[in-house]
Amino acid sequence: MAITKRQLPSFFRFPKNPSLSQRLMVIGIAITLFFLFLAFFAPIFQAWGWLQNPEQCPVDNPVQAAPSAKYWFGTSRLGCDIFSRTVFGVQAALQVVILATALSMVIGVPLGMVSGYLGGNLDKVLLFLMDSIYTLPGLLLSVTLAFVVGRGILNAAIAISIAYIPQYYRVVRNHTVSVKTEVFIEAAQAMGASTWTVLSRYLFFNVIQSVPVLFTLNAADAILVLGGLGFLGLGLPEQVPEWGRDLKEALGDPSLGIWWTTLFPGLALTLMVVGLSLLGEGLNEFVNPRLRRQNTIRK
């Protein structure tokens, strides 16, 4: 029997009169999927001859050629195909961003749960430590750590992730503190459930509602931080295509009328940040009943 629209769970139904935030979330999903498509199929497009090797600048390429049918985004001052470097830059950005946000989530979420549930001196120490890290500007902290750990995808992810750990910690800890006094938690404790059982079985799925939203918004911010590291020469190795470093190398080109060397890398970086930000804001409304209620009242 075919499943009708009415039978589908509410998560899969698109409302007849979507709110502005829901429309923007659809735009964010579309932009994000577009970049994921480019990252996944870039090696295939290169094998088909549609993209050049982004890590090498062919000697027969013209220098600073304007966009044309052969070079869609033009070429740089070294003769690199900007279209190829921009597309492959998606891969590098996604690898660093996913690693950075995943590392911060894997560290911050357990620390927040343990700190909020156990309390005591451990909670005070962790809270002081996380608040100290949180007060530091994220980009400044990432730049400092990048000097220490050096270049590379994993190193850049580590340098960026440290700044986001306190955010996961604070959100999860606050939820844990409010949930641990619920009746079902007290019943589990009364029945002799261990700390690990309470944390993994009863607390975890009740305190992570905001984590996907935080993950998406941090990913958008991490792209900007990675761009800043690349602009300062502290991001990825020189041969790896990176939007921030490409912008730095083309910094003086617009004053000479060579606008394409900065436009396309900068546009790609901006679109990716906008897409993830719109997706995160839409997810925030979905997981936050108060926001959904406010939008319903406005209608």
Side-chain angles (χ1 to χ4, degrees), residues 223-287:
I223 293 174
L224 292 176
V225 175
L226 177 63
L229 292 179
F231 192 85
L232 296 173
L234 299 172
L236 306 182
E238 293 185 1
Q239 68 272 17
V240 178
E242 185 182 5
W243 297 331
R245 186 173 59 253
D246 289 348
L247 289 173
K248 175 188 177 182
E249 294 176 351
L251 191 59
D253 290 350
S255 61
L256 302 176
I258 308 172
W259 49 268
W260 54 89
T261 54
T262 56
L263 174 64
F264 295 111
L267 187 61
L269 189 151
T270 303
L271 279 177
M272 198 168 184
V273 171
V274 169
L276 288 170
S277 299
L278 293 178
L279 177 58
E281 291 298 333
L283 287 175
N284 191 27
E285 179 184 339
F286 177 78
V287 301

Side-chain angles (χ1 to χ4, degrees), residues 99-201:
L99 275 174
T101 48
L103 282 172
S104 57
M105 181 179 64
V106 168
I107 297 174
V109 170
L111 286 180
M113 290 178 59
V114 172
S115 178
Y117 181 72
L118 296 181
N121 292 330
L122 176 64
D123 181 49
K124 294 179 182 179
V125 172
L126 287 175
L127 194 59
F128 174 78
L129 178 62
M130 293 299 168
D131 286 346
S132 300
I133 298 176
Y134 191 73
T135 58
L136 299 174
L139 179 58
L140 178 60
L141 180 60
S142 298
V143 169
T144 304
L145 292 173
F147 272 113
V148 177
V149 299
R151 292 181 177 181
I153 291 179
L154 180 59
N155 292 343
I158 293 173
I160 294 172
S161 66
I162 302 300
Y164 301 128
I165 293 176
Q167 299 183 31
Y168 290 98
Y169 168 84
R170 289 159 65 97
V171 169
V172 173
R173 177 194 174 274
N174 292 339
H175 285 177
T176 302
V177 170
S178 62
V179 171
K180 74 176 184 178
T181 57
E182 295 291 338
V183 176
F184 66 93
I185 298 294
E186 295 178 351
Q189 294 171 339
M191 290 187 294
S194 63
T195 300
W196 168 252
T197 301
V198 174
L199 290 174
S200 61
R201 182 173 299 180

